[in-house]
Amino acid sequence: MASAPRRHAALDSVDYRDGVLHWGGVSVEEIVAEAGQTPLYIYSRAMIDQRIAELRNAMPPEMSLHYAIKANPMPDVVRHMLKGVDGLDVASVGELQLALAQGADPAHISFAGPGKSDSELAYAVEHGATVSVESERELARLSAIAVRQRRRAMAVIRVNPSFELKSSGMKMGGLPSQFGIDAERVGSALAQLDEHAIHFRGFHIYAGSQNLRAESLAESLASTVDLVLQLVQDSGRSIEYVNLGGGLGLPYAAGEKPLALADLEAAFHQTTARLQKALDGVAVVLELGRFLVGESGIYVMRVLDTKESRGERFVVTDGGLHHHLAASGNFGQVIRRNYPIAAVRQAAEQREVNVVGRLCTPLDVIASAVNLDQLDVGSLVAVLLSGAYGRSASPAGFLSHPPCLETFV
């Protein structure tokens, strides 16, 4: 068996009391007992609140914070988020309906994503959400829908920038893309905009995601400001809104260092100051999803079987990639790396094991060659950093096993 990777930094701060893992101040064993089944996602409101407070401390008060629902659309989470953020970003009509059902103000909801249907655009216009337009054709369709409804659509242009966010886990700029209108074509698109049908609010620029380097993020923010100011100058249009995207990442793998918000504080302040000095009264929005909720969640599984196979030990659980695709390495990872994982109950001994799910595919590996406290049939094991892109980003119908539960503590 290959040597085990270095210990993940996230494991150094987990809360064990009397040998039992606690989450959000509550015993995980008690949470599971109350839920009545595993697998189970557990999200901590205290950890979400702490992250928002840390961000607010680093951001200038003039900068707004939006939550991207796609990271975790659990209704309880979204409803709680409304207490701490200034707006929501959605990527489907389902997410828009969810946001409205939780009491979100449509004036502070933006709707992004390529390939919006006419019915989705019509729903957004009807309810007053801001549409982040991804193509010239979508802009024309939005205009026609607004005319039919005898309403004025709220819209921003999503721009595909010519620069990229260096060292990002997923690049969203500097390349040919289905997202946004290429920066060099924005002027042409704006020249065709029907002012009577569309209220043009500004720009949405997003260059990449899952970045752990403050210097790269700061450089991207500076480039974004340069681009916004150039687009305003070239078009001769005033704007009231700039969505800077996000890109702040989390350290999923052993050896990765957490992003220090203190290292971004100056960039946040400089970005906001430059935009508001040049564009009087412009709203500056930082849009985050994973960074707000990722560390708040764990995915808890129960051990169904243990076995030895040619010198390796396997722990078979009732979870798997059908509930947590990202932890299996099949959600955008080029090289599979273990998420931090911990036994719910501490033991005197540890063993090197492979933690797998119950699906009939060799892809269903949750952790490989990890040292864990002794696990037996019936033991509970928790995958950390599971608050974002977990249950809703996984193929729950694969092999028709029962769905997992979620709870918010």
Side-chain angles (χ1 to χ4, degrees):
M1 179 180 282
S3 60
R6 289 174 289 175
R7 181 177 172 83
H8 196 291
L11 295 172
D12 294 329
S13 59
V14 292
D15 181 13
Y16 280 100
R17 304 179 194 180
D18 297 325
V20 177
L21 179 65
H22 282 57
W23 203 253
V26 184
S27 162
V28 171
E29 290 184 342
E30 292 179 6
I31 296 171
V32 169
E34 183 176 345
Q37 72 170 72
T38 52
L40 174 69
Y41 278 97
I42 304 172
Y43 311 120
S44 165
R45 68 186 69 227
M47 294 178 73
I48 291 174
D49 291 344
Q50 179 180 347
R51 175 47 50 85
I52 291 175
E54 292 168 349
L55 272 161
R56 294 292 193 189
N57 188 54
M59 294 163 53
E62 299 83 9
M63 177 181 272
S64 296
L65 179 62
H66 281 204
Y67 173 56
I69 286 181
K70 61 181 175 287
N72 187 329
M74 183 188 184
D76 288 349
V77 171
V78 175
R79 187 163 52 253
H80 183 74
M81 276 293 182
L82 290 173
K83 303 174 185 177
V85 301
D86 305 300
L88 301 174
D89 291 278
V90 303
S92 70
V93 76
E95 287 188 353
L96 178 52
Q97 291 170 335
L98 170 63
L100 295 173
Q102 305 315 308
D105 182 350
H108 300 295
I109 299 175
S110 60
F111 185 176
K116 303 179 196 72
S117 68
D118 281 355
S119 62
E120 288 179 311
L121 292 174
Y123 193 88
V125 173
E126 178 185 352
H127 289 84
T130 296
V131 176
S132 189
V133 174
E134 308 267 355
S135 73
E136 294 96 325
R137 187 185 298 275
E138 185 172 271
L139 183 61
R141 289 168 51 225
L142 180 64
S143 181
I145 287 168
V147 169
R148 286 198 297 270
Q149 289 193 11
R150 297 182 181 179
R151 290 184 171 93
R152 198 168 181 223
M154 309 294 286
V156 297
I157 298 292
R158 180 166 180 175
V159 182
N160 177 27
S162 57
F163 59 88
E164 66 179 45
L165 175 52
K166 297 175 183 177
S167 304
S168 58
M170 192 175 297
K171 290 180 171 56
M172 307 284 282
L175 301 167
S177 177
Q178 70 267 44
F179 300 106
I181 298 174
D182 294 345
E184 58 271 23
R185 298 179 59 148
V186 168
S188 175
L190 286 174
Q192 301 171 34
L193 188 145
D194 181 353
E195 297 283 0
H196 297 290
I198 292 181
H199 173 67
F200 169 63
R201 300 191 62 202
F203 299 108
H204 173 194
I205 301 175
Y206 189 33
S209 68
Q210 187 45 23
N211 196 294
L212 296 171
R213 295 184 59 190
E215 60 270 29
S216 296
L217 289 160
E219 180 181 335
S220 178
L221 286 171
S223 296
T224 298
V225 175
D226 291 341
L227 177 55
V228 168
L229 297 182
Q230 189 64 54
L231 290 172
V232 169
Q233 178 180 318
D234 291 347
S235 67
R237 292 177 177 272
S238 60
I239 64 171
E240 62 188 51
Y241 176 97
V242 176
N243 184 332
L244 300 166
L248 282 65
L250 296 177
Y252 285 99
E256 292 181 336
K257 296 181 179 179
L259 179 66
L261 284 174
D263 295 338
L264 276 174
E265 184 172 348
F268 287 155
H269 283 257
Q270 290 166 8
T271 296
T272 305
R274 284 184 64 198
L275 285 169
Q276 294 196 331
K277 180 179 179 180
L279 308 169
D280 186 41
V282 70
V284 181
V285 173
L286 185 68
E287 174 196 332
L288 297 170
R290 181 198 312 271
F291 194 74
L292 293 180
V293 297
E295 290 177 319
S296 74
I298 56 174
Y299 175 62
V300 183
M301 307 167 289
R302 190 178 296 278
V303 177
L304 300 177
D305 196 6
T306 62
K307 59 181 289 187
E308 300 282 344
S309 176
R310 293 180 175 147
E312 296 191 21
R313 185 169 179 83
F314 288 82
V315 173
V316 184
T317 73
D318 59 0
L321 68 79
H322 56 314
H323 297 153
H324 203 334
L325 186 65
S328 74
N330 294 291
F331 188 61
Q333 290 187 32
V334 177
I335 300 174
R336 191 196 171 281
R337 297 181 294 179
N338 293 329
Y339 274 44
I341 187 170
V344 168
R345 182 170 284 274
Q346 291 179 310
E349 297 182 3
Q350 287 194 335
R351 297 193 64 172
E352 185 176 291
V353 298
N354 301 300
V355 181
V356 301
R358 65 199 306 193
L359 305 185
C360 294
T361 169
L363 298 176
D364 195 14
V365 176
I366 300 299
S368 54
V370 290
N371 285 320
L372 289 176
D373 293 293
Q374 179 70 36
L375 294 170
D376 300 305
V377 173
S379 297
L380 297 173
V381 60
V383 181
L384 279 63
L385 284 167
S386 296
Y389 301 107
R391 181 179 184 270
S392 65
S394 302
F398 184 44
L399 296 190
S400 300
H401 283 292
C404 65
L405 297 181
E406 297 175 295
T407 189
F408 195 39
V409 298

